[in-house]
Structures are given as structure tokens and as C-alpha cells.
Amino acid sequence: MGSVQIVTTVLAAAITAVAVWLAVRAVLKMVAVIRLGQPAPERFADKGTRAKTMLVETAGHTRMLRWGVVGAAHWFVMVGFIVLSLLVLEAYFEVVSPTGGLPLIGGLAVYGLVTEVIAVLGTVGILVLIAIRVRNRPTRPGGRSRFTGSTMWQGYFVEAVVLAVLVMGFVIRGFKVATDHFEYPLWATPVSHALGALLPAWPAGVSVAALIKIAISMTWLIVIALNVTMGVAWHRFLAFFNIFFKREPARPAGSGLGPLRPMTSNGKPLDFEEADPEKDQFGVAQVEQFTWKGLLDFSTCTECGRCQSQCPAWNTGKPLSPKLLVLSLRDHAYAKAPYLLAGGGKDLTGEEKATAAQLAHLDVLTLAEADKPLIGDAEAGGVIDPDVLWSCTTCGACVEQCPVDIEHVDHIVDMRRYQVLIESSFPSEAGVMLRNLENKGNPWGAPQNTREDWTKGLGFEVPRVGEVDDFEYLFWVGCAGAFEDRAKKTTRAVATLLNEAGVSFAILGEGETCSGDPARRIGNEFVFQMLAQQNVETLNEAFEGREPAKRKIVATCPHCFNTLGNEYGQLGGEFEVVHHTQLLAHLVSTGRLTPVQPVDGGVTYHDPCYLGRHNRVFAAPREVLGSAIGGGGGTVGTLTEMPRNSERSFCCGAGGARMWMEEKIGKRINVDRVEEAMSTGARTVAVGCPFCSTMLNDGVNGKGAGEQVEVVDVASVLLRSVKPDTAPGEKETAPTTG
Ligand code: SF4
Ligand code: SF4
């Protein structure tokens, strides 16, 4: 070993020892913070599926690749990071000896080739990612960026380190070529050979370059160890765990979509017949009341801003950004952690758990952080502003896009639950809806004995459960479908089409009450459980004696469809629920309904969030519309898609109980969506949800475009094509609500 190698070896060992010590300390700190969360025992079930999903999602980059160029570039960088860690390891042999290399595989041509190819592609990949970050920098002239609010220096730092490590790999090899110590053939390592031709034959070059490479890598480790909230770096390790522990590992996308998590206390679902607010946790009022998976979510965020770029609230000027919400919760959790780890915290009655002696060593900033209310405006010093919390439509666009499976909607609803159930703090206008649900069983407060009024004048009898022994489908009408004028037309259209196709169905009539969706999404789990239990009892009675596969329900409202199909199972109600567009698509494809009249003027389709993203029903409504546009005879017409469609559809603004709250901040979401729909030039905007129908109709009318554009349900479009004689009467009019 020469004098240069003695110096490089000592320096490499010293910086590595410091970096590893700091990294171990950082990992222990992160584990301690995440363990502060509440239990979530269900996250350990089904480990086989979890492992498979984690491997497919990470190795295949299945979620990242939806953003083609970024996904591909990131894949090469990820593979580069894993494979080229071997080259960092190899550098430790090279600081000791310029001819050093990895034992066993070092020197094999195939190893030289694989690492060379991956290093080249990784370099291209990281340059692409740097270019994308620069192009989308928040400070660029004009326009909002998905990186607004991200800690930009951290992103640039991580990317610069990756680039530098890759380049130094070639430089080391180049010096080996220049000094004739390179064992790989030209065909396997052409870039290294080309660089070697340019470098001087400096014998110490290999060891010095290897030291630089190690120093860069260890500086990175030291920086991230000193910044445990640096998700852009830590996600390389945490993403595997976050994906493994996601809520629904079997779901191909959007693990945190569809059903909401039941309200839990100490890891157990809460039953309101026994729950006690002094003993049980009602929602989340303190950051440590999230589950440990919630705290892992916050730690894993890469600050990529994909969620922010898709969020309807953010895109219309509301203060909510799902990314900024997650970052606020993360920063608060880590800043409050020393207080919690010292034994601090409030019990469920609000009393401090720690003694003064336990907290004596904490600094004033930590104590101030611990004192912050989780929800509170700027004056109260809250972590999350109420306007942020209540701007969410629970559309799920953030969850859908998040590459590391963060479950934003669950966290938002958990915080709403505490605000509603314990603080009674929510937008006051929603109080009328909640009172109506409690007293009348529907959000409009309409009399229950008018639930069947929509059946009048149909020209055929709509059977009620109990009046007929045998029915294939229970037609769940929903509150909008029963009481809201525009939605009633959809209900009538569906009933007419089912009757036309000879489907045997029956309704509950006055036996039906609200599914409970708006109560659950606003955070009132108590009212949800009350309504849901009543409906589960009614439905179980209606289907008594039937095997599960024959307990079939068809619903026109995606919110009812989601609640009945995905959430009633939490309360003992197992049903086979389909949306009316799915049933209609089946009836058309099997020839039981035959469109005969083409639809003129172009049709575009707005995906309802709770049908599309939350339940992945994208094809059925398009098939129905395609057959109606074509007008039969096997001709399938073409929809004019909006730029944001299917998984990336833009919310109408009504979900998450926003239907019953005023939209006072920013641009109206429905107006934004209507402008997009009108930009297609289509005269018909088809919808599959009564709330979307109301919101988009309001948007069209607000723009004074009611004569040019019609918003109408998929079922009504099909009915006009199947029975053109019914068309004039089905023209939509402004709604009146009870
Ligand atoms: S659910 Fe929708 S509105 Fe709510 S934060 Fe996510 S993207 Fe935004
Ligand atoms: S998409 Fe996920 S990882 Fe990216 S900023 Fe949003 S929450 Fe963080």
C-alpha cells in the first residue's frame, strides 16, 4: 500500500464510520417516532399478498410508470441506485489498492457489462429527472408547479449526488484503463474505455477517485441522517415498507380508495353502542393519534407533488394541497416527538400525562410545538387550517397518483371525525344536512312518504320488496334518486330500461333511508352507523334465505354503490352491488336492450370519483354511451374524451359532503370542470352520478350555456336511443329540492 492509499483508506474509513453512526441513530429515531402511532393490527394480515404487491410495484414501477417519461427515468435511477451500490462497495477496495475490485464477481465481463449499461442508463435517467425538476421549479415564470411547497434544495442535492456518484464510477474505471489495470473488455465497457483514453496514466488516480466517490456517498448519508424528514431521500428505504403495509394490498391501484377505514380506538373498530369519549379515541385530535401507518405515510412522502397536481381543491385556488397537508403533519410529528418520547401527551380528557420533571430537559421550541392544536387557524397556531381540512372532496385523486401509496383520504376523514364528533366544529351549513339525516333519513329533509313519488306515471308497476317473492335485483334508489327532480329522471330512465329488458327488480320504497355516505365523509361516524345499521337490517331481511351471490343490488348513485358494496360489510351486510351503468352495459351487450337512434352533437363523459377512481368502473358507462352514440346495428360511436378522464378525472366538487357546504374560496370546482367539458365541443355531457349531475348542470347554467350543452345521465342517453319516443319528456330541467 502506497502513501496515497494509506491516506485514502484512513479518510474513507473515517467518513464512513461517522456516516454509519449517524445513519443508525437516524433510523432508530424514525422507528421511535413511527412507533408513537396507534396500533393497526390489520396491516400485518395477508403477508404473502403484501410481499407480492410490494415487489411488483417497486420492481415493475407500476404506479410510477403512469407518468411515462418520469416513471422510466426513475426506474433506471432506482435500479442504478441498487446495482451501483456494488460499485460504492467496490470503491472501498479501490482506496486500498488501485488494482482492487470486488471479490468473486469483480473481473467478470458480464458484471462489467451490466454495471456499465445501468450506469449509462442511470445517468440519462437522472439527467432527465433533473431537467424535469428544473422545468417545473416553483419559481418558473407563470403557472403553478407540482413542486410548489417542496423543499427544492433537497431534491437537487439528492439528484446531484446520484449524478456525481455515477460519473465518479466512470472516472475510477477510466483511471484503471489509463493505467492498464482494467480487466473488462472494450465491448462490455465502451464508455469507461473511451474516458480512459482521455485521462492521464496517474497511478494514484483510481484510489483518489474512489475516495471522492465514497466521500460523496457518505456526505449524502450524513445529510439525510441529519434530516430525518428528508423524504426525497428516505423514501428509497421507506417506500418498500409503506407499500407492503398499505391498506388493501390486493387492489391494483389506490389502496386507500373505496371504503373508508372504520373508526378505531387502540386498534379496534369502535362500536357506538359501547363507545365512551373519555375512554375511546374518537378520530384524531393529536398527531400521535394517527396509526403508526399514518406516521409511516408522512415519513415516506417524496415531495414529488403528483397528488398536488391532481387535486381539485389545489387546482381551483383552495388552501388544500394533499402534499402540503402530509408535509405539515410530518414536520409536526417529528418536531413534537421529543416531547412524546419523554412521556408527554394529553390523555383523552385533555390532561397532561408527563410530570414536570419528565419534560424539564425539553427546549422551548419542542414544548411550543407540542402545544399546537392539530386543527386551528393561523391565529390559533394550528398545524392544519380548518379551511384546508374542509376543502377536501375525498375525490381520491391524490391517493390514486401517489407513487408510494400514501392514504390521504383516511387521514383527512380521521381528523374530520374528531372535529365533528367531539368539537362539533364543521362548516355550519352542513349542520342542516346532518340534522335532516338524523331526523328524516335523507339529507334534504324530504318526507319519507314521498320516496316513491318518482314511480308515478311510469306506465308500468314498480314492485316493492315484500310484494313480490322473486326479484333478481333490489333497485336501491337513493335519496337523490327519490327526491331530487333531475335525479328522479335518471331513476325513471333506469326503471324503464330494466322493465324494457325484462329484468325482475323491486324497490324498498319507504323502507330505504340514506346510505350514510355524506355523514361518513364529513366525519359523523355516529350518524353513519345509525343509518347503515338500519339499512343493513332492512336489506338482510329483504334478502333473507339468499346465498351471498344472489343478494344483488343495483344503485344509480356511486356514493350509495360504494357505501353499500364496500362499507356495509364492516357492519355485517354483504351484498353484490352493481352500478346501473354496469347493468345497462350487460343488458346492451347481451342484446336485451337495443339502441336504435344515434345521438347527435357529440358526447363527452364525466367520470364520477366514487364510480371511477374509487371503484374502477371506467369501461361500463363508456360502453353504454358508445352503443347509444352508434345507434344500434352493432355500430359503436366514439366519445369525445375530456383531457382529464378515467383515473385522472377531475372532481365535480360535491364529494366528501362538499355538496352541502358552500364553496367560498377560489374558483368553483364545477365551473372548472364544465369549462373542460365544453372545450370538447360535445353537446351532451353524460354523467353517472346525481351529485355530478347537479354540480355540472349548475356550472353550465352559471355560464349561460344551457341551450348549447346538456348534462344528462348515461341511463337517459341510452333510453333516448332505445326508446326515442320518450326523448322529449326526458329533457333535463333545473332541479327543485325538497
Ligand atoms: S381527496 Fe381530492 S380534494 Fe381531497 S386532498 Fe385528495 S385530491 Fe385533494
Ligand atoms: S404524491 Fe405521495 S409522495 Fe408525492 S407529494 Fe403527494 S403524498 Fe408525497
Side-chain angles (χ1 to χ4, degrees):
M1 189 188 281
S3 56
V4 171
Q5 281 72 37
I6 292 173
V7 173
T8 53
T9 304
V10 170
L11 290 177
I15 192 169
T16 303
V18 173
V20 170
W21 176 69
L22 289 173
V24 169
R25 213 182 57 155
V27 169
L28 293 176
K29 182 175 176 185
M30 290 175 93
V31 170
V33 173
I34 290 164
R35 282 168 60 95
L36 287 169
Q38 299 302 303
E42 72 285 357
R43 305 282 180 163
F44 292 93
D46 205 2
K47 294 194 183 70
T49 308
R50 290 181 183 282
K52 187 172 150 216
T53 302
M54 186 263 283
L55 287 173
V56 169
E57 262 188 45
T58 50
H61 257 42
T62 45
R63 296 175 65 70
M64 283 295 292
L65 281 170
R66 291 161 178 206
W67 289 34
V69 174
V70 187
H74 190 275
W75 188 84
F76 286 119
V77 172
M78 180 198 74
V79 173
F81 177 76
I82 295 168
V83 175
L84 300 181
S85 297
L86 286 174
L87 291 187
V88 175
L89 186 60
E90 193 169 22
Y92 285 93
F93 293 90
E94 289 158 343
V95 289
V96 176
S97 162
T99 57
L102 278 184
L104 300 179
I105 52 174
L108 296 178
V110 67
Y111 171 71
L113 174 68
V114 169
T115 46
E116 185 95 348
V117 169
I118 289 174
V120 169
L121 294 176
T123 305
V124 173
I126 199 67
L127 287 172
V128 169
L129 292 184
I130 291 171
I132 289 170
R133 192 177 293 276
V134 171
R135 200 186 61 202
N136 289 306
R137 67 196 181 283
T139 52
R140 78 191 196 282
R144 289 152 77 90
S145 159
R146 68 185 168 101
F147 292 120
T148 301
S150 298
T151 320
M152 291 303 280
W153 76 261
Q154 295 182 344
Y156 288 131
F157 171 73
V158 166
E159 285 162 353
V161 165
V162 173
L163 182 62
V165 167
L166 286 163
V167 169
M168 288 315 295
F170 287 117
V171 173
I172 295 169
R173 286 185 164 190
F175 275 122
K176 281 188 171 174
V177 172
T179 52
D180 214 13
H181 289 314
F182 198 53
E183 53 275 79
Y184 304 109
L186 175 64
W187 63 264
T189 52
V191 178
S192 301
H193 275 91
L195 189 61
L198 301 175
L199 290 174
W202 180 32
V206 173
S207 299
V208 172
L211 174 65
I212 294 173
K213 179 170 177 150
I214 289 171
I216 293 170
S217 304
M218 292 305 118
T219 302
W220 174 80
L221 198 55
I222 290 169
V223 169
I224 74 165
L226 295 175
N227 292 277
V228 283
T229 56
M230 194 168 164
V232 69
W234 281 105
H235 83 275
R236 288 182 180 179
F237 310 104
L238 297 177
F240 297 100
F241 297 97
N242 213 47
I243 295 169
F244 181 87
F245 287 115
K246 66 175 169 172
R247 174 144 68 86
E248 310 238 3
R251 269 180 86 105
S255 156
L257 296 177
L260 278 176
R261 279 179 64 241
M263 219 165 106
T264 56
S265 176
N266 202 22
K268 297 196 190 83
L270 210 55
D271 180 346
F272 275 91
E273 292 192 357
E274 295 160 7
D276 176 353
E278 296 209 343
K279 294 197 192 115
D280 294 307
Q281 184 186 312
F282 279 37
V284 167
Q286 306 286 336
V287 76
E288 65 275 18
Q289 290 175 346
F290 287 108
T291 67
W292 61 262
K293 175 60 172 63
L295 298 178
L296 178 60
D297 270 2
F298 309 151
S299 308
T300 309
C301 176
T302 71
E303 306 193 18
C304 69
R306 289 177 179 221
C307 54
Q308 180 171 287
S309 73
Q310 307 293 308
C311 174
W314 179 256
N315 278 297
T316 53
K318 320 278 190 281
L320 166 64
S321 147
K323 175 184 77 180
L324 299 181
L325 177 127
V326 165
L327 299 190
S328 300
L329 293 171
R330 178 196 69 190
D331 293 346
H332 174 61
Y334 280 83
K336 188 179 178 184
Y339 158 80
L340 296 168
L341 291 168
K346 301 276 192 302
D347 65 19
L348 290 168
T349 59
E351 292 298 313
E352 175 59 59
K353 289 192 266 187
T355 61
Q358 280 176 294
L359 304 180
H361 69 286
L362 296 175
D363 62 45
V364 64
L365 288 178
T366 304
L367 291 171
E369 191 73 32
D371 245 10
K372 281 186 182 175
L374 190 65
I375 306 297
D377 58 17
E379 204 179 322
V383 178
I384 303 291
D385 192 282
D387 282 336
V388 168
L389 187 67
W390 297 110
S391 288
C392 180
T393 67
T394 70
C395 74
C398 48
V399 180
E400 173 78 32
Q401 287 300 328
C402 182
V404 291
D405 281 318
I406 289 170
E407 296 159 359
H408 316 68
V409 174
D410 286 344
H411 306 319
I412 288 170
V413 173
D414 270 340
M415 290 187 280
R416 286 184 173 187
R417 284 167 170 168
Y418 181 84
Q419 293 302 307
V420 172
L421 294 170
I422 302 297
E423 299 285 338
S424 285
S425 174
F426 52 87
S428 54
E429 60 273 20
V432 179
M433 175 271 287
L434 286 172
R435 271 195 302 282
N436 285 336
L437 285 181
E438 277 192 83
N439 300 331
K440 303 274 184 160
N442 69 82
W444 284 277
Q448 185 71 350
N449 62 9
T450 59
R451 261 199 191 265
E452 298 175 27
D453 283 2
W454 64 270
T455 61
K456 289 177 186 160
L458 269 178
F460 59 90
E461 271 301 302
V462 177
R464 282 125 193 99
V465 171
E467 291 174 8
V468 283
D469 290 337
D470 198 23
F471 57 89
E472 187 181 359
Y473 284 95
L474 188 148
F475 181 12
W476 181 272
V477 175
C479 300
F483 301 121
E484 202 259 356
D485 281 353
R486 194 182 290 114
K488 280 202 277 194
K489 292 187 175 172
T490 304
T491 313
R492 289 164 66 84
V494 171
T496 305
L497 287 164
L498 295 184
N499 184 59
E500 181 79 10
V503 175
S504 70
F505 68 96
I507 60 170
L508 285 171
E510 293 180 26
E512 196 183 295
T513 60
C514 175
S515 67
D517 162 86
R520 194 168 220 203
R521 263 76 201 163
I522 204 172
N524 198 328
E525 189 74 2
F526 172 74
V527 170
F528 166 73
Q529 284 199 15
M530 184 186 82
L531 293 166
Q533 267 161 1
Q534 186 180 338
N535 283 325
V536 167
E537 265 174 47
T538 307
L539 290 166
N540 280 342
E541 209 174 296
F543 288 120
E544 201 173 353
R546 291 199 193 194
E547 60 189 86
K550 294 201 170 153
R551 296 155 75 93
K552 294 194 214 170
I553 297 174
V554 57
T556 53
C557 172
H559 299 268
C560 298
F561 165 67
N562 180 61
T563 306
L564 269 63
N566 293 328
E567 298 188 338
Y568 279 10
Q570 296 167 5
L571 297 162
E574 297 291 346
F575 312 108
E576 287 289 312
V577 188
V578 294
H579 188 246
H580 69 286
T581 55
Q582 293 176 294
L583 182 53
L584 294 179
H586 169 71
L587 296 174
V588 170
S589 70
T590 52
R592 289 167 73 181
L593 288 175
T594 309
V596 290
Q597 171 96 18
V599 181
D600 292 332
V603 180
T604 191
Y605 173 65
H606 164 80
D607 289 91
C609 302
Y610 275 84
L611 185 64
R613 254 191 310 270
H614 280 277
N615 285 288
R616 328 240 37 102
V617 179
F618 299 115
R622 288 178 168 78
E623 285 163 19
V624 174
L625 291 169
S627 68
I629 297 167
T635 315
V636 177
T638 310
L639 273 178
T640 314
E641 291 283 7
M642 284 186 251
R644 294 175 290 192
N645 65 73
S646 307
E647 287 95 343
R648 291 204 197 177
S649 178
F650 194 71
C651 182
C652 73
R658 289 280 335 161
M659 177 85 178
W660 288 276
M661 299 179 213
E662 285 179 25
E663 196 174 335
K664 298 175 192 151
I665 308 173
K667 184 181 181 184
R668 289 186 66 83
I669 294 174
N670 59 339
V671 170
D672 196 286
R673 186 56 164 168
V674 158
E675 284 169 359
E676 187 176 2
M678 289 175 65
S679 74
T680 65
R683 282 189 53 82
T684 302
V685 180
V687 294
C689 169
F691 296 162
C692 298
S693 175
T694 298
M695 297 303 279
L696 298 191
N697 264 299
D698 286 355
V700 166
N701 293 336
K703 294 190 86 64
E707 288 302 312
Q708 297 100 57
V709 178
E710 185 188 12
V711 180
V712 65
D713 192 274
V714 172
S716 295
V717 177
L718 180 65
L719 181 62
R720 290 175 195 179
S721 183
V722 171
K723 296 181 75 173
D725 50 316
T726 60
E730 291 302 319
K731 175 80 181 163
E732 306 292 345
T733 54
T736 55
T737 54

